[in-house]
Amino acid sequence: MNFYSTNNPSHKVPLKEAVIKGLAPDQGLYMPEIIPVLTESFYSRLPEMSFADIGYQVISAIFGDDLSEAQVKQLVDHTLAFDAPLVKVEDDIYSLELFHGPTLAFKDFGARFCSKLMSMLMEGESRKVRVLVATSGDTGSAVANGFYKVPGVEVVILYPKGKVSELQEKQFTTLGENISCLEVDGVFDDCQSLVKQAFLDEELNREMLLTSANSINIARWIPQCLYYFYAYSRLPKSDKKLAFSVPSGNFGNLGAGILAERMGLPIDIFVASTNVNKVVPDFLHGNAFQAKASVSTISNSMDVGNPSNFYRLLALYGNDETVFRQKVKGFYFDDADTSRAMQSIKDRTNYIMDPHGAVGYLGLRNLMRMFPEEYIGVFLETAHPGKFKSTVDRVLGIDLELPERLKEFMKGEKKAGSLGNDYSQFKEHLLKKLS
Ligand SMILES: *Cc1c(COP(=O)(O)O)cnc(C)c1O
């Protein structure tokens, strides 16, 4: 299968190039040339299938031309090494818990798939790959842990100084080995823009093999569709229509849900739920898409003002804005709304949501209030509440017990260089590190 650029559908490249380049040279995002629709028999068998079996089928449908059956199995087994349970929170409302992986956020799925696929595609190459990652918090930890000690790969993580939680920071700055970190004097969008400039810098690309492990990379993005199939397979039978609400920042996760729907998964509607960084909800309400400076919130992994995957979402709907606006509803919530939802769910059901999941829950509730009794809904719980312990403790007035895995990370010592929000400084750092 070839992959085309959202900026120029006639620019097509094979899998290896799409994964190693990450971003197309014209700055477009790669998209699968064909979106395979899975068979009726696959859909009828879904409820009996294991997560891994679902994974083999879906990944073969997309990557089967390029990878052997054994490679597909290896990739899926490595990626789906932990469960994604569906937990009932209220009548017709389910939380899809995506935080049972090594760094306790959904990004573990994409990062594990991406690191495995990259090392498969790089077999036999003598050159090292350098993975550049901009993170608002959870990508850094998932990618660092996914690539830790992977031979032939070096990871450089850029993150906004003072804008990620201490726990998040510890998860990527304490590893060392092939993982190095730069604290940038700026916001997430500045980190993302530095990384994008590096990918487009011809001189730098002559010197080294650069790639990205952000959700702009198809190897990070595509595997995220798997848990939508799995969640669907575990839902109780219902005559109601199905909604998925996705707490969103860079919009890779929502895009992966739309990909699953385009592959035939019967999802009736998506909710794009955001914090006050609301450029996509604004677009969905009829305005033009307009990137803005990002604003800090308690759901900091979604503090994105210029979401990279927007044009990928549009491409999934055949670049038809009307269809896009019909199939995806957008809502945004401020920190006070988010805190109230966390508190109210805790009081009524004893379920503890992290601030990101709470935004997803709120989006779903809004939809269900607009269309009473019509929907059964799933919101994606994208991180373990312990990852945002200080916020969760403050909002709920508790002292949340941290999972063992998080406590382990807290013991490490932070190692990170500092960087101004300045491309020439970043480039110099990359060139110097090489020698
Ligand atoms: C990254 C992240 C998000 C946003 O996901 P996108 O794919 O960038 O929209 C939401 N919640 C958490 C906890 C995250 O780490």
Side-chain angles (χ1 to χ4, degrees), residues 105-107 136-139 168 215 220 224 246-254 301-302 304 309 354 356 382-383 388:
F106 79 96
K107 292 187 174 86
S136 55
D138 294 326
T139 294
Q168 287 178 318
S215 59
R220 251 289 303 282
Q224 299 179 153
V246 187
S248 294
N250 229 346
F251 284 84
N253 208 6
L254 176 62
S301 300
M302 312 199 298
V304 182
N309 285 289
D354 98 287
H356 304 78
T382 46
F388 303 94

Side-chain angles (χ1 to χ4, degrees), residues 212-227:
S212 92
N214 278 94
S215 59
I216 52 174
N217 195 311
I218 52 163
R220 251 289 303 282
W221 175 61
I222 291 178
Q224 299 179 153
C225 74
L226 298 178
Y227 42 72

Side-chain angles (χ1 to χ4, degrees), residues 406-422:
L406 275 183
K407 285 189 198 155
E408 279 305 308
F409 284 115
M410 287 307 282
K411 292 179 192 152
E413 192 196 328
K414 165 180 164 183
K415 281 174 247 123
S418 2
L419 191 71
N421 178 18
D422 173 49

Side-chain angles (χ1 to χ4, degrees), residues 16 20 121-129 152 209:
K16 180 169 174 177
I20 304 296
L121 297 173
M122 287 302 290
E123 249 165 55
E125 281 269 355
S126 55
R127 288 183 298 173
K128 262 197 176 185
V129 204
L209 205 52

Side-chain angles (χ1 to χ4, degrees), residues 19-318:
V19 171
I20 304 296
K21 282 237 161 69
L23 189 66
D26 61 9
Q27 300 205 49
L29 301 171
Y30 286 118
M31 288 293 287
E33 193 179 12
I34 297 160
I35 295 180
V37 175
L38 294 160
T39 61
E40 265 178 48
S41 95
F42 167 80
Y43 285 108
S44 62
R45 282 185 296 113
L46 264 181
E48 293 107 62
M49 288 167 79
S50 68
F51 200 0
D53 283 334
I54 294 170
Y56 304 144
Q57 302 274 331
V58 175
I59 294 303
S60 299
I62 302 173
F63 297 103
D65 294 346
D66 299 285
L67 303 173
S68 69
E69 221 174 284
Q71 284 177 311
V72 168
K73 182 165 186 318
Q74 219 190 331
L75 261 172
V76 170
D77 290 345
H78 181 73
T79 307
L80 305 183
F82 40 87
D83 198 17
L86 193 64
V87 176
K88 182 172 176 179
V89 175
E90 292 182 295
D91 284 346
D92 290 331
I93 294 188
Y94 293 80
S95 164
L96 177 62
E97 293 187 348
L98 300 174
F99 55 70
H100 295 274
T103 71
L104 300 107
F106 79 96
K107 292 187 174 86
D108 282 325
F109 288 98
R112 291 171 71 82
F113 188 93
C114 183
S115 61
K116 197 79 186 167
L117 180 57
M118 258 182 211
S119 58
M120 276 178 186
L121 297 173
M122 287 302 290
E123 249 165 55
E125 281 269 355
S126 55
R127 288 183 298 173
K128 262 197 176 185
V129 204
R130 183 168 282 184
V131 178
L132 303 183
V133 189
T135 183
S136 55
D138 294 326
T139 294
S141 48
V143 169
N145 286 273
F147 283 92
Y148 184 53
K149 293 186 181 172
V150 170
V153 183
E154 225 185 85
V155 178
V156 182
I157 295 173
L158 279 74
Y159 69 101
K161 187 183 172 115
K163 297 209 161 48
V164 306
S165 82
E166 190 191 357
L167 269 166
Q168 287 178 318
E169 190 178 33
K170 286 271 187 187
Q171 286 185 304
F172 51 85
T173 56
T174 55
L175 292 169
E177 299 270 349
N178 62 331
I179 314 293
S180 67
C181 301
L182 290 169
E183 218 173 352
V184 176
D185 205 357
V187 295
F188 168 73
D189 295 290
D190 299 322
C191 300
Q192 181 152 267
S193 131
L194 288 170
V195 165
K196 279 189 180 166
Q197 280 184 72
F199 291 139
L200 299 169
D201 185 323
E202 286 178 19
E203 189 195 340
L204 207 55
N205 282 276
R206 271 196 303 276
E207 296 289 327
M208 58 191 81
L209 205 52
L210 289 179
T211 190
S212 92
N214 278 94
S215 59
I216 52 174
N217 195 311
I218 52 163
R220 251 289 303 282
W221 175 61
I222 291 178
Q224 299 179 153
C225 74
L226 298 178
Y227 42 72
Y228 290 86
F229 289 93
Y230 183 56
Y232 173 81
S233 79
R234 274 17 182 203
L235 276 171
K237 279 210 171 14
S238 168
D239 296 332
K240 294 181 178 168
K241 293 189 284 186
L242 175 58
F244 270 86
S245 173
V246 187
S248 294
N250 229 346
F251 284 84
N253 208 6
L254 176 62
I258 298 171
L259 176 65
E261 190 267 333
R262 300 275 101 175
M263 293 177 80
L265 191 67
I267 299 172
D268 290 282
I269 205 156
F270 288 97
V271 183
S273 301
T274 71
N275 58 32
V276 292
N277 294 284
K278 59 183 176 63
V279 300
V280 173
D282 282 349
F283 162 83
L284 292 168
H285 286 124
N287 300 298
F289 178 70
Q290 178 69 57
K292 296 230 167 74
S294 58
V295 178
S296 296
T297 73
I298 57 170
S299 47
N300 67 278
S301 300
M302 312 199 298
D303 294 348
V304 182
N306 187 10
S308 289
N309 285 289
F310 177 78
Y311 291 99
R312 189 170 256 159
L313 268 55
L314 197 52
L316 285 163
Y317 289 118

